[in-house]
Amino acid sequence: MVLGKMENATAQEALDLQEQDLGTLLHTTLDRHWDLVAYSTYAEEQVYYRDVASGIVQLHELLRQAGIVRGDKIALLGRNSPQWAITYLAVISYGATVVPVSHVLRPKMVYRILQHAEVRGLFLCDHIWEELNEFYLSYLQFIVGFHSWEVFLCKRESLKHWRFKPPSLETSRKEELLRQIGERCPHHPDAPVVLNYTTGTVDFPKGVLLPARSLLSNLAYAARVLPLVPQDTVVSYLPFSHIYGQVLDFLYAFVSGAHLHILSGAPSLGRIAAAFRRYQPRLILLFPALFSSIFKETLPSWWNTSWLHTLLSLSVVGGVLQRFFCKRLNRFFGDNFASVVVGGAHFSPQIEEFLQTIHFRYSMGYGLTESGSLVAYKTPDTGQHLSVGRAIDGVELSIRNQDANGVGNICIRGKNLMLGYYNPFEIERVAIDDEGWFDTGDLGYLDKNHYLYVKGRSVNALSLEGGSRAYPEELESFMNTMPYVQESLLVERRGELVMLVQPLLVGGKHRHLSEARLFLEMERNRERLNRRMDAGVSVARVELQYGAFEMT
């Protein structure tokens, strides 16, 4: 190990030195930031890096007693918490493969994922245990609740006597704890460390097997473009079971020595705003849907009117208005952030255009579970409206099967790419061709400066008469910014595009609109939408739907 050289290193230097070794990086992180706060919660719980080290050593002993060996798969099922984070770090530093499972899944899907992944042990939130049927989990070596640390099920007699010692009672010295953790280092770059199951599909989720190099390449890039220093604050609401929050919120904050304030569950906008004001985070990662909600809540409803855009283009008046709108957004996010990073789904082009106009500090990320998070990234000062940025370090982009407009299948190749899709018999590498290229399933194009533009999922694209194609994600993101629109869904009926709209009827003046007035407003929205669309693409009509759309 080269630990001595890293005592005064930045996060970027640490990641460069440990680029081939995830285990040593985690060991070094604990050594450097021993007395700093690693995690805090809304309930004022604080966990120090030294507490993380103590927890890792104790969980290593549990895994050893359970007969877990390198490569075995251990699942985590629960909401974000310091205990979830400690358990994740313990599993990967032990040399096992961690399987994060979303806590919102129904028990039947949980059983299927655990069986498909060939999981040998399970850590979960205590209250979730009450919702599961032990009969379907009896093949596991152990089940432990990571809030009470109670052993709910075990196959070995010795585990019945295992007890987790609170950090306040820990008597082992720093050197001894780090020595025990260091015994599990290092990791081979191609060693599988995470088995993450994709979401948002109607079929059974795919198990994406990620190697150590995938996490390390994403962390190294984050350290270059999103620099954090020890005890910078990061406020996290993204689920750690999602690869975006797992790598760029949880893991990156940890290896940087940052203080991660965890908002568990589904926090309200008020609670999120209070956390931003109190902790003044340096780095904020958001899904587009939440950013859009914050945007609409913070700015006046007339932000998207034509007369305002005219005023914003004026030199003096425009400058005053730009500072006014930017200040309101900055205040919501705590005024101390380097950038608000938006990623994980399609972002509204209209909102992005407005953010660029008022010079708001935001950046864009495009990625996949299969890439360990990032594929492309756009910094706040880039410009390039509608683009998701250029390929990150170590990643190549290629557009294949292009149509007349240059739109085709987005393919990627690089060291952050998965090993393959997991199944109980073998790793399915068929998704990656002989030259190492992976088809993302997304459609897009590259401009002359190699900036990537994503149109939508290839399976969702609608073919129209005349050879044109409509991309539902693109049109829906436009529609969702229109007045009186809560949510929208584009469908094709008899060769025509129809936009289903759930109107915004909860709270404010919107609930007082008559049916006729609401229909008139939606027609105006449709006309605005069609003016922004490509030639040959237009929405024929809008239909109102008052119930929530069915999610798949």
Side-chain angles (χ1 to χ4, degrees):
M1 297 182 196
V2 287
L3 305 184
K5 297 180 181 180
M6 300 183 61
E7 292 177 356
N8 300 312
T10 64
Q12 173 65 61
E13 292 168 340
L15 284 159
D16 287 343
L17 285 169
Q18 306 299 344
E19 190 174 6
Q20 301 301 316
D21 188 354
L22 181 61
T24 305
L25 173 61
L26 297 179
H27 182 284
T28 303
T29 297
L30 292 168
D31 187 18
R32 293 177 60 205
H33 308 305
W34 189 259
D35 292 318
L36 301 182
V37 176
Y39 308 114
S40 65
T41 67
Y42 192 72
E44 304 297 331
E45 177 185 10
Q46 283 195 335
V47 176
Y48 290 80
Y49 278 81
R50 60 177 180 266
D51 302 332
V52 175
S54 172
I56 287 175
V57 169
Q58 294 185 69
L59 292 175
H60 280 186
E61 178 60 19
L62 180 146
L63 295 173
R64 187 191 65 79
Q65 290 186 27
I68 302 303
V69 298
R70 284 183 179 271
D72 281 348
K73 298 169 190 66
I74 306 298
L76 272 63
L77 173 61
R79 291 190 176 95
N80 294 1
S81 68
Q83 293 79 14
W84 192 104
I86 292 171
T87 306
Y88 180 104
L89 295 171
V91 172
I92 63 173
S93 60
Y94 187 82
T97 301
V98 67
V99 185
V101 181
S102 173
H103 71 278
V104 302
L105 295 177
R106 296 181 182 275
K108 185 177 180 180
M109 181 59 75
V110 171
Y111 303 144
R112 292 183 64 190
I113 288 176
L114 297 183
Q115 291 172 354
H116 183 270
E118 299 182 300
V119 164
R120 295 199 68 208
L122 171 63
F123 292 92
L124 76 177
C125 284
D126 295 50
H127 74 275
I128 295 179
W129 172 242
E130 300 173 1
E131 303 170 4
L132 300 179
N133 189 327
E134 183 177 339
F135 173 80
Y136 296 106
L137 302 170
S138 58
Y139 62 92
L140 296 174
Q141 291 298 308
F142 68 85
I143 299 177
V144 173
F146 53 50
H147 289 114
S148 66
W149 298 114
E150 180 181 351
V151 178
F152 296 125
L153 179 149
C154 62
K155 291 292 182 66
R156 297 196 174 192
E157 189 67 26
S158 60
L159 282 183
K160 295 180 180 178
H161 307 292
W162 180 84
R163 295 291 182 271
F164 187 88
K165 185 186 297 183
S168 59
L169 301 179
E170 178 58 63
T171 57
S172 299
R173 299 182 59 180
K174 173 181 177 180
E175 293 76 12
E176 176 61 20
L177 291 173
L178 290 177
R179 183 192 66 78
Q180 294 183 57
I181 294 172
E183 289 177 350
R184 306 301 305 187
C185 301
H187 283 62
H188 188 277
D190 282 323
V193 291
V194 180
L195 177 55
N196 234 106
Y197 281 79
T198 58
T199 58
T201 60
V202 295
D203 300 319
F204 183 75
K206 292 182 177 180
V208 178
L209 195 59
L210 295 171
R213 59 174 163 77
S214 177
L215 302 187
L216 285 166
S217 61
N218 276 279
L219 293 173
Y221 183 78
R224 186 170 75 79
V225 299
L226 297 167
L228 290 175
V229 298
Q231 285 306 277
D232 271 351
T233 302
V234 178
V235 174
S236 175
Y237 94 100
L238 298 176
F240 292 163
S241 59
H242 191 287
I243 198 66
Y244 182 40
Q246 186 182 135
V247 175
L248 297 182
D249 248 1
F250 156 51
L251 281 177
Y252 178 50
F254 180 77
V255 301
S256 301
H259 170 190
L260 184 67
H261 181 77
I262 299 172
L263 295 175
S264 62
S268 64
L269 283 183
R271 185 174 155 196
I272 292 173
F276 287 157
R277 287 194 300 270
R278 178 176 180 180
Y279 291 98
Q280 296 187 319
R282 189 66 179 157
L283 174 63
I284 301 171
L285 275 70
L286 298 175
F287 287 138
L290 179 59
F291 188 94
S292 297
S293 297
I294 293 171
F295 185 89
K296 292 178 180 179
E297 181 73 19
T298 306
L299 300 187
S301 59
W302 35 269
W303 70 270
N304 198 29
T305 54
S306 57
W307 60 266
L308 177 61
H309 285 263
T310 300
L311 291 177
L312 286 170
S313 65
L314 301 177
S315 57
V316 178
V317 176
V320 173
L321 287 172
Q322 290 169 20
R323 289 189 293 273
F324 166 76
F325 286 116
C326 193
K327 186 175 181 179
R328 292 192 67 164
L329 281 175
N330 288 345
R331 188 183 301 121
F332 183 96
F333 291 111
D335 278 323
N336 188 47
F337 59 95
S339 179
V340 175
V341 185
V342 183
H346 205 277
F347 191 40
S348 165
Q350 290 174 296
I351 291 180
E352 186 186 0
E353 183 178 9
F354 190 84
L355 295 178
Q356 289 192 357
T357 299
I358 66 174
H359 307 292
F360 179 75
R361 301 190 303 278
Y362 81 101
S363 52
M364 293 277 293
Y366 163 69
L368 312 157
T369 304
E370 290 86 346
S371 66
S373 191
L374 285 177
V375 169
Y377 183 77
K378 177 171 67 175
T379 58
D381 56 350
T382 299
Q384 301 297 327
H385 176 50
L386 302 182
S387 169
V388 295
R390 286 174 167 162
I392 69 168
D393 299 341
V395 172
E396 298 175 79
L397 287 170
S398 175
I399 306 298
R400 300 185 174 182
N401 305 318
Q402 298 180 25
D403 63 15
N405 297 315
V407 175
N409 301 86
I410 301 173
C411 297
I412 63 172
R413 180 170 65 179
K415 59 185 177 181
N416 67 340
L417 199 56
M418 65 176 179
L419 294 171
Y421 292 121
Y422 180 82
N423 69 49
F425 305 104
E426 63 178 348
I427 298 173
E428 295 182 8
R429 303 180 187 275
V430 293
I432 303 172
D433 69 18
D434 294 338
E435 296 181 343
W437 288 99
F438 171 71
D439 188 335
T440 65
D442 290 326
L443 295 172
Y445 65 94
L446 291 167
D447 68 12
K448 62 181 181 180
N449 295 314
H450 306 290
Y451 282 92
L452 177 64
Y453 296 76
V454 180
K455 304 294 284 184
R457 297 292 293 170
S458 58
V459 295
N460 295 338
L462 302 174
S463 297
L464 307 175
E465 293 183 4
S468 299
R469 283 194 290 189
Y471 306 99
E473 296 93 340
E474 187 176 40
L475 274 69
E476 290 161 5
S477 63
F478 270 122
M479 194 67 175
N480 290 343
T481 63
M482 301 287 187
Y484 313 109
V485 175
Q486 173 70 32
E487 194 175 4
S488 62
L489 180 68
L490 186 71
V491 297
E492 182 183 11
R493 291 179 180 169
R494 299 178 181 178
E496 291 183 333
L497 295 181
V498 178
M499 185 69 76
L500 307 181
V501 172
Q502 181 186 356
L504 184 63
L505 298 175
V506 180
K509 62 183 180 181
H510 303 170
R511 63 183 176 184
H512 301 304
L513 289 179
S514 66
E515 188 79 13
R517 172 71 188 282
L518 190 58
F519 178 79
L520 179 61
E521 292 293 341
M522 292 303 165
E523 275 299 296
R524 290 174 177 169
N525 288 343
R526 185 183 67 84
E527 293 171 358
R528 295 189 193 103
L529 180 67
N530 286 339
R531 285 197 294 268
R532 301 291 296 266
M533 293 299 98
D534 297 333
V537 179
S538 64
V539 174
R541 64 182 184 278
V542 172
E543 294 182 4
L544 298 179
Q545 178 169 317
Y546 290 93
F549 296 118
E550 182 179 353
M551 302 300 291
T552 60

